[in-house]
CSV table of all heavy atoms in Angstrom, one decimal:
chain,number,residue,atom,x,y,z
Z,121,LEU,N,-32.3,66.6,-43.9
Z,121,LEU,CA,-31.1,66.8,-43.0
Z,121,LEU,C,-30.0,67.3,-43.8
Z,121,LEU,O,-29.7,66.7,-44.9
Z,121,LEU,CB,-30.8,65.6,-42.2
Z,121,LEU,CG,-29.7,65.7,-41.1
Z,121,LEU,CD1,-30.2,66.2,-39.8
Z,121,LEU,CD2,-28.9,64.4,-40.9
Z,122,HIS,N,-29.3,68.3,-43.4
Z,122,HIS,CA,-28.0,68.7,-44.0
Z,122,HIS,C,-27.0,67.6,-43.8
Z,122,HIS,O,-26.8,67.2,-42.6
Z,122,HIS,CB,-27.5,70.0,-43.5
Z,122,HIS,CG,-28.2,71.2,-44.0
Z,122,HIS,ND1,-29.3,71.8,-43.3
Z,122,HIS,CD2,-28.1,71.9,-45.2
Z,122,HIS,CE1,-29.7,72.8,-44.1
Z,122,HIS,NE2,-29.0,72.9,-45.2
Z,123,LEU,N,-26.4,67.1,-44.8
Z,123,LEU,CA,-25.5,65.9,-44.7
Z,123,LEU,C,-24.4,66.1,-43.7
Z,123,LEU,O,-24.0,65.2,-43.0
Z,123,LEU,CB,-25.0,65.6,-46.1
Z,123,LEU,CG,-24.2,64.3,-46.2
Z,123,LEU,CD1,-25.0,63.1,-45.8
Z,123,LEU,CD2,-23.7,64.1,-47.7
Z,124,ALA,N,-23.8,67.4,-43.7
Z,124,ALA,CA,-22.7,67.6,-42.8
Z,124,ALA,C,-23.1,67.6,-41.3
Z,124,ALA,O,-22.2,67.5,-40.4
Z,124,ALA,CB,-22.0,68.9,-43.1
Z,125,ARG,N,-24.4,67.5,-41.0
Z,125,ARG,CA,-24.8,67.4,-39.6
Z,125,ARG,C,-25.1,66.0,-39.2
Z,125,ARG,O,-25.4,65.7,-38.0
Z,125,ARG,CB,-26.1,68.3,-39.5
Z,125,ARG,CG,-25.9,69.8,-39.6
Z,125,ARG,CD,-27.1,70.5,-39.1
Z,125,ARG,NE,-27.2,70.4,-37.6
Z,125,ARG,CZ,-27.2,71.4,-36.8
Z,125,ARG,NH1,-27.1,72.7,-37.2
Z,125,ARG,NH2,-27.4,71.2,-35.5
Z,126,LEU,N,-24.9,65.1,-40.1
Z,126,LEU,CA,-25.2,63.7,-39.8
Z,126,LEU,C,-24.5,63.1,-38.6
Z,126,LEU,O,-25.0,62.4,-37.7
Z,126,LEU,CB,-25.0,62.8,-41.0
Z,126,LEU,CG,-25.3,61.3,-40.8
Z,126,LEU,CD1,-26.8,61.1,-40.6
Z,126,LEU,CD2,-24.9,60.5,-42.1
Z,127,ALA,N,-23.2,63.5,-38.5
Z,127,ALA,CA,-22.3,62.9,-37.5
Z,127,ALA,C,-22.9,63.3,-36.1
Z,127,ALA,O,-22.7,62.6,-35.1
Z,127,ALA,CB,-20.9,63.4,-37.6
Z,128,GLY,N,-23.5,64.4,-36.0
Z,128,GLY,CA,-24.0,64.9,-34.7
Z,128,GLY,C,-25.5,64.5,-34.4
Z,128,GLY,O,-26.1,65.0,-33.5
Z,129,PHE,N,-26.1,63.7,-35.3
Z,129,PHE,CA,-27.5,63.4,-35.2
Z,129,PHE,C,-27.7,62.0,-34.8
Z,129,PHE,O,-28.8,61.4,-35.0
Z,129,PHE,CB,-28.2,63.8,-36.5
Z,129,PHE,CG,-29.5,64.6,-36.2
Z,129,PHE,CD1,-29.3,65.9,-35.9
Z,129,PHE,CD2,-30.7,64.0,-36.3
Z,129,PHE,CE1,-30.4,66.7,-35.6
Z,129,PHE,CE2,-31.8,64.8,-36.0
Z,129,PHE,CZ,-31.7,66.1,-35.7
Z,130,ALA,N,-26.8,61.4,-34.1
Z,130,ALA,CA,-26.9,60.1,-33.5
Z,130,ALA,C,-27.6,59.1,-34.4
Z,130,ALA,O,-28.6,58.5,-34.0
Z,130,ALA,CB,-27.7,60.3,-32.2
Z,131,PRO,N,-27.0,58.8,-35.5
Z,131,PRO,CA,-27.5,57.7,-36.3
Z,131,PRO,C,-27.6,56.4,-35.5
Z,131,PRO,O,-26.7,56.1,-34.8
Z,131,PRO,CB,-26.5,57.6,-37.5
Z,131,PRO,CG,-25.8,58.9,-37.5
Z,131,PRO,CD,-25.8,59.4,-36.1
Z,132,GLY,N,-28.7,55.7,-35.7
Z,132,GLY,CA,-28.9,54.5,-34.9
Z,132,GLY,C,-29.8,54.8,-33.7
Z,132,GLY,O,-30.4,53.8,-33.2
Z,133,ARG,N,-29.9,56.0,-33.3
Z,133,ARG,CA,-30.8,56.4,-32.2
Z,133,ARG,C,-31.8,57.4,-32.6
Z,133,ARG,O,-33.0,57.3,-32.3
Z,133,ARG,CB,-30.0,56.8,-30.9
Z,133,ARG,CG,-29.3,55.7,-30.3
Z,133,ARG,CD,-28.8,56.1,-28.9
Z,133,ARG,NE,-27.6,56.9,-29.0
Z,133,ARG,CZ,-27.4,58.1,-28.4
Z,133,ARG,NH1,-28.4,58.6,-27.7
Z,133,ARG,NH2,-26.3,58.7,-28.6
Z,134,LEU,N,-31.4,58.5,-33.2
Z,134,LEU,CA,-32.3,59.5,-33.6
Z,134,LEU,C,-32.7,59.3,-35.1
Z,134,LEU,O,-33.7,59.9,-35.5
Z,134,LEU,CB,-31.7,60.9,-33.5
Z,134,LEU,CG,-31.3,61.4,-32.1
Z,134,LEU,CD1,-30.9,62.9,-32.2
Z,134,LEU,CD2,-32.5,61.2,-31.2
Z,135,LEU,N,-32.0,58.5,-35.8
Z,135,LEU,CA,-32.3,58.2,-37.2
Z,135,LEU,C,-32.3,56.6,-37.4
Z,135,LEU,O,-31.5,55.9,-36.8
Z,135,LEU,CB,-31.3,58.8,-38.1
Z,135,LEU,CG,-31.1,60.3,-38.1
Z,135,LEU,CD1,-29.9,60.7,-38.9
Z,135,LEU,CD2,-32.3,61.0,-38.4
Z,136,ASN,N,-33.2,56.2,-38.3
Z,136,ASN,CA,-33.2,54.8,-38.8
Z,136,ASN,C,-32.4,54.7,-40.1
Z,136,ASN,O,-32.3,55.7,-40.8
Z,136,ASN,CB,-34.6,54.3,-39.0
Z,136,ASN,CG,-35.4,54.3,-37.7
Z,136,ASN,OD1,-36.6,54.6,-37.7
Z,136,ASN,ND2,-34.8,54.0,-36.5
Z,137,ALA,N,-31.9,53.5,-40.3
Z,137,ALA,CA,-31.1,53.3,-41.6
Z,137,ALA,C,-32.1,53.0,-42.7
Z,137,ALA,O,-33.2,52.5,-42.5
Z,137,ALA,CB,-30.1,52.2,-41.4
Z,138,PHE,N,-31.7,53.4,-44.0
Z,138,PHE,CA,-32.5,53.0,-45.1
Z,138,PHE,C,-32.3,51.6,-45.5
Z,138,PHE,O,-31.3,51.0,-45.2
Z,138,PHE,CB,-32.0,53.9,-46.3
Z,138,PHE,CG,-32.5,55.3,-46.4
Z,138,PHE,CD1,-31.9,56.3,-45.7
Z,138,PHE,CD2,-33.7,55.5,-47.1
Z,138,PHE,CE1,-32.4,57.6,-45.8
Z,138,PHE,CE2,-34.2,56.8,-47.1
Z,138,PHE,CZ,-33.6,57.8,-46.5
Z,139,ASP,N,-33.3,51.0,-46.1
Z,139,ASP,CA,-33.3,49.7,-46.6
Z,139,ASP,C,-32.9,49.8,-48.1
Z,139,ASP,O,-33.7,50.2,-48.9
Z,139,ASP,CB,-34.7,49.0,-46.5
Z,139,ASP,CG,-34.7,47.6,-47.0
Z,139,ASP,OD1,-33.8,47.2,-47.9
Z,139,ASP,OD2,-35.6,46.8,-46.6
Z,140,LEU,N,-31.6,49.5,-48.4
Z,140,LEU,CA,-31.1,49.8,-49.7
Z,140,LEU,C,-31.7,48.8,-50.8
Z,140,LEU,O,-31.8,49.2,-51.9
Z,140,LEU,CB,-29.5,49.7,-49.7
Z,140,LEU,CG,-28.8,50.7,-48.9
Z,140,LEU,CD1,-27.3,50.7,-49.1
Z,140,LEU,CD2,-29.3,52.2,-49.2
Z,141,ASP,N,-32.1,47.7,-50.3
Z,141,ASP,CA,-32.7,46.8,-51.3
Z,141,ASP,C,-34.1,47.3,-51.7
Z,141,ASP,O,-34.5,47.3,-52.8
Z,141,ASP,CB,-32.9,45.4,-50.7
Z,141,ASP,CG,-31.6,44.6,-50.5
Z,141,ASP,OD1,-30.6,45.0,-51.2
Z,141,ASP,OD2,-31.5,43.8,-49.6
Z,142,LEU,N,-34.8,47.9,-50.7
Z,142,LEU,CA,-36.1,48.5,-51.0
Z,142,LEU,C,-36.0,49.7,-51.8
Z,142,LEU,O,-36.7,49.9,-52.8
Z,142,LEU,CB,-36.8,48.8,-49.6
Z,142,LEU,CG,-38.2,49.4,-49.7
Z,142,LEU,CD1,-39.1,48.5,-50.5
Z,142,LEU,CD2,-38.7,49.7,-48.3
Z,143,LEU,N,-34.9,50.5,-51.6
Z,143,LEU,CA,-34.7,51.7,-52.4
Z,143,LEU,C,-34.4,51.3,-53.8
Z,143,LEU,O,-34.8,52.0,-54.8
Z,143,LEU,CB,-33.5,52.5,-51.8
Z,143,LEU,CG,-33.4,54.0,-52.1
Z,143,LEU,CD1,-34.7,54.7,-51.6
Z,143,LEU,CD2,-32.2,54.6,-51.5
Z,144,ALA,N,-33.6,50.2,-54.0
Z,144,ALA,CA,-33.3,49.7,-55.3
Z,144,ALA,C,-34.5,49.3,-56.1
Z,144,ALA,O,-34.6,49.4,-57.3
Z,144,ALA,CB,-32.3,48.6,-55.2
Z,145,GLU,N,-35.5,48.8,-55.4
Z,145,GLU,CA,-36.8,48.4,-56.0
Z,145,GLU,C,-37.4,49.6,-56.7
Z,145,GLU,O,-38.2,49.4,-57.7
Z,145,GLU,CB,-37.7,47.7,-55.0
Z,145,GLU,CG,-37.3,46.3,-54.6
Z,145,GLU,CD,-38.2,45.7,-53.6
Z,145,GLU,OE1,-39.4,46.2,-53.6
Z,145,GLU,OE2,-37.9,44.8,-52.9
Z,146,TYR,N,-37.2,50.7,-56.1
Z,146,TYR,CA,-37.7,52.0,-56.7
Z,146,TYR,C,-36.8,52.7,-57.6
Z,146,TYR,O,-37.0,53.8,-58.0
Z,146,TYR,CB,-38.2,52.9,-55.6
Z,146,TYR,CG,-39.3,52.4,-54.8
Z,146,TYR,CD1,-39.2,51.9,-53.5
Z,146,TYR,CD2,-40.6,52.3,-55.3
Z,146,TYR,CE1,-40.2,51.4,-52.7
Z,146,TYR,CE2,-41.7,51.8,-54.6
Z,146,TYR,CZ,-41.5,51.3,-53.3
Z,146,TYR,OH,-42.5,50.8,-52.6
Z,147,GLY,N,-35.7,52.0,-58.0
Z,147,GLY,CA,-34.8,52.5,-59.1
Z,147,GLY,C,-33.6,53.4,-58.6
Z,147,GLY,O,-33.0,54.0,-59.5
Z,148,VAL,N,-33.3,53.3,-57.3
Z,148,VAL,CA,-32.2,54.2,-56.9
Z,148,VAL,C,-31.1,53.3,-56.2
Z,148,VAL,O,-31.5,52.5,-55.3
Z,148,VAL,CB,-32.7,55.2,-55.9
Z,148,VAL,CG1,-31.5,56.0,-55.2
Z,148,VAL,CG2,-33.6,56.2,-56.6
Z,149,THR,N,-29.9,53.4,-56.6
Z,149,THR,CA,-28.8,52.6,-56.0
Z,149,THR,C,-27.6,53.5,-55.7
Z,149,THR,O,-27.5,54.6,-56.1
Z,149,THR,CB,-28.3,51.5,-57.1
Z,149,THR,OG1,-27.7,52.2,-58.2
Z,149,THR,CG2,-29.5,50.7,-57.6
Z,150,PRO,N,-26.6,53.0,-54.9
Z,150,PRO,CA,-25.5,53.7,-54.6
Z,150,PRO,C,-24.7,54.2,-55.8
Z,150,PRO,O,-24.1,55.3,-55.7
Z,150,PRO,CB,-24.6,52.8,-53.7
Z,150,PRO,CG,-25.6,51.8,-53.1
Z,150,PRO,CD,-26.7,51.7,-54.2
Z,151,ALA,N,-24.7,53.5,-56.9
Z,151,ALA,CA,-23.9,53.9,-58.1
Z,151,ALA,C,-24.5,55.2,-58.7
Z,151,ALA,O,-23.8,55.8,-59.5
Z,151,ALA,CB,-24.0,52.8,-59.1
Z,152,ASP,N,-25.7,55.6,-58.2
Z,152,ASP,CA,-26.3,56.8,-58.8
Z,152,ASP,C,-25.8,58.1,-58.2
Z,152,ASP,O,-26.3,59.2,-58.5
Z,152,ASP,CB,-27.8,56.8,-58.7
Z,152,ASP,CG,-28.4,55.6,-59.5
Z,152,ASP,OD1,-27.9,55.4,-60.6
Z,152,ASP,OD2,-29.4,55.0,-59.0
Z,153,PHE,N,-24.8,58.0,-57.3
Z,153,PHE,CA,-24.4,59.2,-56.5
Z,153,PHE,C,-22.8,59.3,-56.6
Z,153,PHE,O,-22.1,58.3,-56.7
Z,153,PHE,CB,-24.8,59.1,-55.1
Z,153,PHE,CG,-26.3,59.0,-54.9
Z,153,PHE,CD1,-26.9,57.7,-55.0
Z,153,PHE,CD2,-27.1,60.1,-54.7
Z,153,PHE,CE1,-28.3,57.6,-54.8
Z,153,PHE,CE2,-28.4,60.0,-54.6
Z,153,PHE,CZ,-29.1,58.8,-54.6
Z,154,PRO,N,-22.3,60.6,-56.4
Z,154,PRO,CA,-20.9,60.7,-56.2
Z,154,PRO,C,-20.4,59.9,-55.0
Z,154,PRO,O,-21.0,59.9,-54.0
Z,154,PRO,CB,-20.7,62.2,-56.0
Z,154,PRO,CG,-21.9,62.8,-56.6
Z,154,PRO,CD,-23.0,61.9,-56.4
Z,155,GLU,N,-19.3,59.2,-55.2
Z,155,GLU,CA,-18.9,58.2,-54.1
Z,155,GLU,C,-18.7,58.9,-52.8
Z,155,GLU,O,-19.1,58.4,-51.7
Z,155,GLU,CB,-17.6,57.5,-54.6
Z,155,GLU,CG,-17.1,56.5,-53.6
Z,155,GLU,CD,-15.9,55.8,-54.2
Z,155,GLU,OE1,-15.5,56.0,-55.3
Z,155,GLU,OE2,-15.2,55.0,-53.4
Z,156,ASP,N,-18.0,60.1,-52.8
Z,156,ASP,CA,-17.7,60.8,-51.5
Z,156,ASP,C,-19.0,61.2,-50.8
Z,156,ASP,O,-19.1,61.1,-49.6
Z,156,ASP,CB,-16.9,62.0,-51.8
Z,156,ASP,CG,-15.4,61.6,-52.1
Z,156,ASP,OD1,-15.1,60.5,-51.9
Z,156,ASP,OD2,-14.7,62.5,-52.6
Z,157,LEU,N,-20.0,61.7,-51.6
Z,157,LEU,CA,-21.2,62.1,-50.9
Z,157,LEU,C,-22.0,60.9,-50.4
Z,157,LEU,O,-22.6,61.0,-49.3
Z,157,LEU,CB,-22.1,62.9,-51.9
Z,157,LEU,CG,-21.6,64.2,-52.4
Z,157,LEU,CD1,-22.7,65.0,-53.2
Z,157,LEU,CD2,-21.1,65.1,-51.3
Z,158,TRP,N,-22.0,59.9,-51.1
Z,158,TRP,CA,-22.7,58.7,-50.6
Z,158,TRP,C,-22.0,58.1,-49.3
Z,158,TRP,O,-22.7,57.8,-48.4
Z,158,TRP,CB,-22.7,57.6,-51.7
Z,158,TRP,CG,-23.4,56.3,-51.3
Z,158,TRP,CD1,-22.9,55.2,-50.8
Z,158,TRP,CD2,-24.9,56.1,-51.3
Z,158,TRP,NE1,-23.9,54.3,-50.5
Z,158,TRP,CE2,-25.1,54.8,-50.8
Z,158,TRP,CE3,-25.9,56.9,-51.7
Z,158,TRP,CZ2,-26.4,54.3,-50.7
Z,158,TRP,CZ3,-27.2,56.4,-51.6
Z,158,TRP,CH2,-27.4,55.1,-51.1
Z,159,ARG,N,-20.7,58.2,-49.3
Z,159,ARG,CA,-20.0,57.7,-48.2
Z,159,ARG,C,-20.3,58.5,-46.9
Z,159,ARG,O,-20.4,58.0,-45.8
Z,159,ARG,CB,-18.5,57.7,-48.5
Z,159,ARG,CG,-17.6,57.0,-47.4
Z,159,ARG,CD,-16.2,57.1,-47.6
Z,159,ARG,NE,-15.8,56.7,-49.0
Z,159,ARG,CZ,-15.3,57.4,-49.9
Z,159,ARG,NH1,-15.1,58.7,-49.7
Z,159,ARG,NH2,-15.0,56.9,-51.1
Z,160,ARG,N,-20.5,59.8,-47.1
Z,160,ARG,CA,-20.8,60.7,-45.9
Z,160,ARG,C,-22.1,60.4,-45.3
Z,160,ARG,O,-22.4,60.7,-44.2
Z,160,ARG,CB,-20.7,62.1,-46.4
Z,160,ARG,CG,-19.3,62.7,-46.5
Z,160,ARG,CD,-18.5,62.7,-45.1
Z,160,ARG,NE,-19.1,63.6,-44.1
Z,160,ARG,CZ,-18.8,64.8,-43.9
Z,160,ARG,NH1,-17.8,65.4,-44.6
Z,160,ARG,NH2,-19.4,65.5,-43.0
Z,161,GLY,N,-23.0,59.7,-46.1
Z,161,GLY,CA,-24.3,59.3,-45.5
Z,161,GLY,C,-24.3,58.0,-44.8
Z,161,GLY,O,-25.3,57.6,-44.3
Z,162,ALA,N,-23.2,57.3,-44.7
Z,162,ALA,CA,-23.1,56.0,-44.1
Z,162,ALA,C,-22.4,56.1,-42.7
Z,162,ALA,O,-21.5,56.9,-42.5
Z,162,ALA,CB,-22.3,55.1,-45.0
Z,163,VAL,N,-22.9,55.3,-41.8
Z,163,VAL,CA,-22.3,55.2,-40.5
Z,163,VAL,C,-22.3,53.7,-40.1
Z,163,VAL,O,-23.3,53.0,-40.1
Z,163,VAL,CB,-23.1,55.9,-39.4
Z,163,VAL,CG1,-22.5,55.7,-38.0
Z,163,VAL,CG2,-23.1,57.4,-39.7
Z,164,ASP,N,-21.1,53.2,-39.8
Z,164,ASP,CA,-20.9,51.8,-39.4
Z,164,ASP,C,-21.6,50.8,-40.4
Z,164,ASP,O,-22.3,49.8,-40.0
Z,164,ASP,CB,-21.5,51.6,-38.0
Z,164,ASP,CG,-20.7,52.3,-36.9
Z,164,ASP,OD1,-19.5,52.6,-37.2
Z,164,ASP,OD2,-21.3,52.6,-35.9
Z,165,GLY,N,-21.4,51.1,-41.7
Z,165,GLY,CA,-21.9,50.2,-42.7
Z,165,GLY,C,-23.4,50.3,-43.0
Z,165,GLY,O,-23.8,49.6,-43.9
Z,166,ALA,N,-24.1,51.2,-42.4
Z,166,ALA,CA,-25.5,51.4,-42.7
Z,166,ALA,C,-25.7,52.8,-43.3
Z,166,ALA,O,-25.0,53.7,-43.0
Z,166,ALA,CB,-26.4,51.2,-41.4
Z,167,GLN,N,-26.7,52.9,-44.2
Z,167,GLN,CA,-26.9,54.2,-44.9
Z,167,GLN,C,-28.0,55.0,-44.2
Z,167,GLN,O,-29.2,54.6,-44.2
Z,167,GLN,CB,-27.3,54.0,-46.4
Z,167,GLN,CG,-27.1,55.2,-47.2
Z,167,GLN,CD,-25.6,55.5,-47.5
Z,167,GLN,OE1,-24.7,54.7,-47.4
Z,167,GLN,NE2,-25.3,56.8,-47.7
Z,168,TYR,N,-27.6,56.1,-43.6
Z,168,TYR,CA,-28.6,56.9,-42.8
Z,168,TYR,C,-29.0,58.2,-43.6
Z,168,TYR,O,-30.0,58.8,-43.1
Z,168,TYR,CB,-28.0,57.3,-41.5
Z,168,TYR,CG,-27.9,56.1,-40.5
Z,168,TYR,CD1,-26.8,55.4,-40.4
Z,168,TYR,CD2,-29.0,55.8,-39.7
Z,168,TYR,CE1,-26.7,54.3,-39.5
Z,168,TYR,CE2,-28.9,54.8,-38.8
Z,168,TYR,CZ,-27.8,54.0,-38.7
Z,168,TYR,OH,-27.7,52.9,-37.8
Z,169,ALA,N,-28.3,58.5,-44.6
Z,169,ALA,CA,-28.7,59.8,-45.4
Z,169,ALA,C,-28.5,59.5,-46.9
Z,169,ALA,O,-27.5,59.0,-47.3
Z,169,ALA,CB,-27.8,60.9,-44.9
Z,170,ILE,N,-29.5,60.0,-47.6
Z,170,ILE,CA,-29.5,59.9,-49.1
Z,170,ILE,C,-29.4,61.3,-49.6
Z,170,ILE,O,-30.4,62.1,-49.5
Z,170,ILE,CB,-30.7,59.2,-49.7
Z,170,ILE,CG1,-30.9,57.8,-48.9
Z,170,ILE,CG2,-30.6,59.0,-51.2
Z,170,ILE,CD1,-29.9,56.8,-49.2
Z,171,PRO,N,-28.3,61.7,-50.3
Z,171,PRO,CA,-28.2,63.1,-50.7
Z,171,PRO,C,-29.1,63.5,-51.8
Z,171,PRO,O,-29.3,62.7,-52.8
Z,171,PRO,CB,-26.7,63.2,-51.2
Z,171,PRO,CG,-26.3,61.8,-51.5
Z,171,PRO,CD,-27.1,60.9,-50.5
Z,172,LEU,N,-29.7,64.6,-51.7
Z,172,LEU,CA,-30.6,65.1,-52.7
Z,172,LEU,C,-29.8,66.1,-53.7
Z,172,LEU,O,-30.1,66.1,-54.9
Z,172,LEU,CB,-31.8,65.9,-52.1
Z,172,LEU,CG,-32.6,66.8,-53.0
Z,172,LEU,CD1,-33.4,65.9,-54.0
Z,172,LEU,CD2,-33.7,67.6,-52.2
Z,173,ASP,N,-28.9,66.9,-53.1
Z,173,ASP,CA,-28.2,67.9,-53.9
Z,173,ASP,C,-26.9,68.3,-53.1
Z,173,ASP,O,-26.6,67.7,-52.1
Z,173,ASP,CB,-29.1,69.1,-54.0
Z,173,ASP,CG,-29.4,69.8,-52.7
Z,173,ASP,OD1,-28.6,69.9,-51.8
Z,173,ASP,OD2,-30.5,70.3,-52.6
Z,174,THR,N,-26.2,69.2,-53.7
Z,174,THR,CA,-25.2,69.9,-53.0
Z,174,THR,C,-25.3,71.4,-53.3
Z,174,THR,O,-25.7,71.7,-54.4
Z,174,THR,CB,-23.7,69.4,-53.4
Z,174,THR,OG1,-22.8,70.0,-52.5
Z,174,THR,CG2,-23.4,69.7,-54.8
Z,175,HIS,N,-25.1,72.2,-52.3
Z,175,HIS,CA,-25.3,73.7,-52.5
Z,175,HIS,C,-23.9,74.3,-52.2
Z,175,HIS,O,-23.7,74.7,-51.0
Z,175,HIS,CB,-26.4,74.3,-51.7
Z,175,HIS,CG,-26.7,73.7,-50.4
Z,175,HIS,ND1,-26.2,74.3,-49.2
Z,175,HIS,CD2,-27.3,72.6,-50.0
Z,175,HIS,CE1,-26.6,73.6,-48.2
Z,175,HIS,NE2,-27.3,72.6,-48.6
Z,176,PRO,N,-23.1,74.5,-53.2
Z,176,PRO,CA,-21.7,75.0,-53.0
Z,176,PRO,C,-21.6,76.5,-53.1
Z,176,PRO,O,-22.5,77.2,-53.6
Z,176,PRO,CB,-21.0,74.4,-54.1
Z,176,PRO,CG,-22.0,74.3,-55.3
Z,176,PRO,CD,-23.3,74.1,-54.6
Side-chain angles (χ1 to χ4, degrees):
L121 183 87
H122 283 97
L123 187 58
R125 292 194 69 124
L126 180 65
F129 229 74
R133 286 193 285 128
L134 297 187
L135 302 175
N136 298 141
F138 279 88
D139 182 334
L140 296 187
D141 291 336
L142 181 56
L143 202 62
E145 290 182 19
Y146 293 108
V148 173
T149 69
D152 294 324
F153 302 87
E155 185 177 349
D156 287 345
L157 295 188
W158 182 262
R159 187 186 306 116
R160 281 296 296 264
V163 177
D164 294 336
Q167 198 70 27
Y168 287 94
I170 308 295
L172 168 63
D173 63 36
T174 186
H175 39 96

